[in-house]
Amino acid sequence: MSRHLLSVDSLTRESVDHLMRVAARMEPIAQRRQVTRVLEGAVLGNLFFEASTRTRVSFHAAFCRLGGSVCDTTGFTFSSMAKGESLYDTSRVMSGYCDAIVMRHPDQGSVAEFAAATHVPVINGGDGPGEHPSQALLDFYTIDKEFTRLGKQLAGAHVLLTGDLKYGRTVHSLIKLLSLYDPMRITLVAPPGLEMPDYLIDLVASRGHRVEQRTSLADDYANVDVVYTTRIQKERFTAEMSEDFSLSRNFTVDRAFMDKRCGRDTIVMHPLPRDSRPDANDLDVDLNGDPRLAIFRQTDNGIPVRMAIFATLLQVEELIEKDLRPVRWFVPERVGVDDPSL
């Protein structure tokens, strides 16, 4: 892996496999069974100039689980960027304070511009409609774990990506990452105007994968292994799109869709947050408690994967095993009420 993690484009199949192996070694720490202080003294700058809860806290927790400390900033209002400071200046200043930086920014390409001004490792926490590479890595880690549990193989798998495929940066990164592996079938289902960009479809097809586009979820998806659905990101719409956009219930992933259209072992994923309001056309809450729903296992997997990213970028992954000790505090057998025992 290169000095920064800005895009899936910087990853190879070998580097992804390495991160997956390191993440697996992080599981006991992420699950609060062991402790390490391998990054004791290191400081993470968590710079989120766009709203975030899960990603920001996940990166924060992952760095702390490795023994480091974190400085957080959120939004433009309290940033010197609101005073006209350039990304170059902000990057250089923060590099003097921090040993690693995670940045989220509403403008595509801004994180790469920020990273170009520093040798301190920078991780792209999401740049507008661009990419979200750490999310793709944790998504892939989740798929691999779920397939292992179900006795499935990644090669030849059928993955359904649905929802906002135009502005959904998580699916942009995920489809690139999946394309690094053996050929599979990828079905894209998006509302009119929110289709996957053509350049991504061409890239994946050029690597030997079968890609097909559909316009509705009202088809038979019984042979689909993974349903990955995303929220419609109306905050990224232009004024004209907001006026013209309408959506039917055909794009809602709910229990009825899963029971009628999909198989018993089809797993359901979502990058979160999901819009739980009625008629939101998102992942429905009526799937809560269904073993096919992997979204909370997915978020839990973000901790070991992001720990692996930090350990690899800061070159301490080989020191983890020598630095482990058992936890001393109370840890519940289950994190959530519907979860199996850890």
Side-chain angles (χ1 to χ4, degrees), residues 48-62:
F48 278 70
F49 299 114
E50 185 178 53
S52 171
T53 301
R54 281 147 301 277
T55 302
R56 178 173 55 83
V57 175
S58 178
F59 272 116
H60 189 133

Side-chain angles (χ1 to χ4, degrees), residues 300-313:
D300 289 346
N301 288 335
I303 301 298
V305 169
R306 289 179 169 126
M307 290 173 68
I309 293 169
F310 286 132
T312 301
L313 287 175

